[in-house]
Amino acid sequence: MSLFKARDWWASVLGEGEEFDQGCLCVGDVDNSGSGYDKIVVGSFMGMLRIFSPHPAKPEEQMEADAQLLEVQFPDPIIQVEMGKFVSCSELLHLAVLHPRKLSVYAVSGTAGNVEHGDQYQLRLVYEHNLQRTACNMTYGPFGGVTGHHFICIQSMDGMLMFFEQETYAFGRFLPGFLLPGPLSYCIRTDSFITVSSTRQVECYRYETLAVATDADTRQDSDQQSKSSGKRLTADWTLVLGEEALDVCVPHTSSAMSSIFVLGERNLFCLKDNGQIRFMKKLEFNPSCFLPYGSVSEGSTNILMCNHNNMLLVYQDVTLKWVAQLSCVPVAVRVANFPELKGLVVTLSSDGHLQCSYMGTDPSFFTAPKVDAREVNYDEVDTEMKMLQKVIRGATKTQGITQRKPVVLFNAEVIQCPECVLYSQVKIKSRSAVQSPKMTVCVQPPLAVTQDQFVLDSMGMAFSVCLSGSCLYLNDLSLCLSGIPRVSQCKFNLPLRLVCYPSSAIKNAKYKITVDTNKPPVNLNEVFPGTTKSENNESSALGFQLITGSKVIVLASKTSQRYRIQSESFEDIWLVAKELVQRFDQHFASLGVKDFRNSFTGPIPLPEYFETVDHHFELRVNVQKYQDLLSERAVQFRAIQRRLLTRFKDKTPGPLQNLDTLMEGTYRQVIALADAAEDNRERLIQAFTRLQSATHLLILLLSLWQGLGSEQTAILEATLLPLLQDTPQLGWEESVDAAISHLLKTCLSRSPKDQAISLSTGPLTIPKDTSRLKKHITLLCDRLGKGGRLSLTSEANVPTTVMMPGQKYLTLEAFISHFYVHTHIQSCWIV
């Protein structure tokens, strides 16, 4: 940071909500007053044109209103403003205003006032050109060596240079190899135009070459822009920069030589007019704009440069001469002369801060006021110290209270309608005052909420949870209350009636599992109150009809302590099975039973689970197939297009030879493949949701089968559910295979010798088939059945690495730990 600040001489804020860029500022004697002093002309993207004649305000006044001479509102945005001799019958300065589709030249005149209101200024239109192409920027100068007049060159967004000889349109040329427009400037000494193309190289085109060249493109479709004869357009010289250019400027300081200055994103280049580099300055900051101007030293140039750190730097060639602090980040900078001070720096920011400043050595120092000396009363000091200590202790206790999680009260009402909606009301209580906490509601698709973020000004809110998809296997919702510096989370289950409704029970189904208990059978109506809709109102059978169409039945044995859950869909069993286990725990806990336990005797339904895995994997393979087919058809489509364009450009076109029919057929194939790929993507999302539900069911059965604790169940969930969604870089199959392989080599290994065997390294890629994965899942279940226990403390001797998305390599130990922590956190978020 500089010790010295740029001293404000005059400043103004232009409009409200307007935007400005580097072409929106120019200075000069626009009204041709002959006083030798400059006026400031500013145009905005909102179409507002303003002209100022700044002068410092008196000490008792903030700003004199007569500094603004003129303000005009145009219907079109103003891209650039320039002053020059643009009228053929006059050598006075006129104002050129560039709009996206129009170039207008105005005359600014002032009339002396006879009253105290001052002079009056008017803006008169001299001529205008309607553009057939959208303009990007413009430059002007005595093209072709004319004297006493200036011509205008406009660069369009599609790479056409349009030349206007004052009131007349001259010609237009397309730049070769054009992609995106860049900065444009004119060199008087060589009569050439300098621009920076999208290939990051400086290109120079002579005016004579442009005038006689033939445009190779046939895009000249306007009435003004007719074809001309000549040779093909080529650049006079080029120079590779290797970075994007922010601006190009050619100051006219000497007739013997001229320098071309190019401001890049990281470097400043100074070139000779033949394309050779004079010098290059590496910048240690991000520049925003610059302005080269003449120096008092022979053979050197001064450069004003502004950066995004609010700094104004003055260079003499490559030597830094001065640094000053600005109040904003300029997008345009100019040097102007005003009545009381010459050489003022005029800056304009993107939000309209216009400032005239100068640089000096009078820094702003802050002088602390003198403190009145008084005698110290030690009794008062001691009393004040005790009071402050009491306040500190109270604040510490309050901070400890505020760090506790808020109490969340949840009240829900279910209304049956074509799309089941749950109207929710959440109340948050805190033991101390909090300032504008934010709450985020997280549900997993296909559930949706009407509003997912709240700012709790009144400590209360309401939102609705509804079903917005075609498959549903989760009913979790989580709330996250965030503030500074604490985040509290609360997770709870939504009512079961949000995802299903009572139905009649059936005796037979395709998929069945049996849950055992160590207590006598209970009345299912007591466990699921208000959900019975079975024949004869039996208490031993319950039916649940999921909104997606599947039906799940719960049957209680009348003679044993077993409960059977059956359905025509394997993955649909999980939601009801989870609810049954949880409600059993709550029911017996309310009765004071402490030794109640759920169990599963097996066998683990791996064949049914593997059907879901194979279906998901098949859809993933189809994704790659559709991508390959689309690439082939796209290459074929582009090849046919090139053939047709060649035929159409030929001066003597021949027959198309059914190329148009082939192109239409290829187009239909591309559209059909794209529709099929999109349909496969939707099916893949549903298949992954079904796979998640089936995996949750497998984890539940394994935990009941072997009596796994909460820590082991969390490790199992992190292993079998490492991802919230499939990505093109990493899928469920390879992630689970790597995680299970690590467990089989560490905590579930048969002997310490197996732990010493290092796993294969390299990036995780989609496997050829699921045979290896199914084999590892079978081994995992087998070793758990033989007494194996899941733990992260038993690590392999040699850490190995696998690829993770967004990282280069990660050890498999960190891989499992990452998924364990990630899944543990996501169990609170369910995003």
Side-chain angles (χ1 to χ4, degrees), residues 115-128:
V115 293
E116 61 182 1
H117 297 296
D119 301 339
Q120 297 179 359
Y121 285 84
Q122 295 179 351
L123 192 69
R124 180 175 58 86
L125 178 65
V126 180
Y127 64 88
E128 66 180 9

Side-chain angles (χ1 to χ4, degrees), residues 410-426:
F410 179 77
N411 296 325
E413 179 184 0
V414 179
I415 300 178
Q416 292 294 340
C417 56
E419 294 222 342
C420 190
V421 178
L422 173 67
Y423 295 97
S424 311
Q425 184 177 6
V426 178

Side-chain angles (χ1 to χ4, degrees), residues 702 705-709 712 743-744 746-750 778-791:
L702 287 175
W705 182 38
Q706 293 299 318
L708 301 180
Q712 297 188 66
L743 293 180
L744 295 176
T746 53
C747 59
L748 295 180
S749 60
R750 295 180 178 178
T778 305
L779 284 175
L780 174 69
C781 298
D782 180 64
R783 295 189 183 179
L784 286 177
K786 295 180 179 179
R789 287 295 176 262
L790 299 174
S791 174

Side-chain angles (χ1 to χ4, degrees), residues 220-408:
Q220 295 176 333
D221 52 358
S222 66
D223 297 332
Q224 297 177 341
Q225 300 159 358
S226 59
K227 283 189 175 181
S228 60
S229 61
K231 59 181 181 179
R232 186 179 181 86
L233 178 60
T234 57
D236 187 44
W237 54 263
T238 60
L239 177 68
V240 177
L241 293 181
E243 61 179 304
E244 295 291 339
L246 303 180
D247 198 4
V248 175
C249 187
V250 185
H252 183 58
T253 57
S254 174
S255 60
M257 61 175 293
S258 59
S259 299
I260 302 171
F261 290 87
V262 182
L263 179 63
E265 294 177 332
R266 295 175 298 274
N267 298 279
L268 172 67
F269 302 89
C270 179
L271 314 178
K272 298 180 181 179
D273 51 21
N274 59 359
Q276 298 180 358
I277 298 180
R278 286 187 57 198
F279 62 82
M280 183 181 73
K281 172 68 176 178
K282 182 175 178 60
L283 305 177
E284 302 296 335
F285 48 81
N286 294 326
S288 60
C289 59
F290 84 133
L291 175 69
Y293 64 97
S295 174
V296 294
S297 302
E298 185 68 25
S300 62
T301 304
N302 289 349
I303 305 167
L304 289 177
M305 188 177 302
C306 304
N307 61 19
H308 288 275
N309 297 328
N310 298 6
M311 305 296 291
L312 174 65
L313 302 96
V314 182
Y315 288 92
Q316 186 175 13
D317 291 342
V318 296
T319 305
L320 181 62
K321 293 295 185 179
W322 196 262
V323 180
Q325 184 78 26
L326 297 174
S327 59
C328 57
V329 179
V331 295
V333 58
R334 301 290 186 269
V335 176
N337 299 323
F338 296 112
E340 297 184 7
L341 195 60
K342 294 184 178 181
L344 280 172
V345 179
V346 182
T347 55
L348 175 67
S349 67
S350 61
D351 54 356
H353 284 78
L354 181 63
Q355 182 179 357
C356 298
S357 56
Y358 61 91
M359 292 168 285
T361 57
D362 50 342
S364 299
F365 292 105
F366 171 76
T367 303
K370 294 182 179 180
V371 181
D372 295 336
R374 60 191 177 108
E375 296 182 0
V376 179
N377 189 332
Y378 292 99
D379 295 335
E380 293 181 359
V381 171
D382 186 56
T383 303
E384 184 179 2
M385 177 64 70
K386 291 180 180 179
M387 182 187 67
L388 293 176
Q389 290 177 348
K390 182 179 180 180
V391 172
I392 293 173
R393 286 193 297 268
T396 305
K397 293 180 180 179
T398 304
Q399 184 178 7
I401 294 175
T402 56
Q403 288 181 354
R404 297 180 182 178
K405 294 185 178 180
V407 180
V408 180

Side-chain angles (χ1 to χ4, degrees), residues 31 43 48 135 155 192 231-232 245 247 252 381 441 447 498 632 729 758 776 797 805 822:
D31 60 342
M48 190 70 71
Q155 180 180 206
S192 56
K231 59 181 181 179
R232 186 179 181 86
D247 198 4
H252 183 58
V381 171
V441 184
L447 289 177
L498 177 64
E632 293 177 3
Q729 295 80 18
S758 61
H776 285 169
N797 295 330
H822 180 72

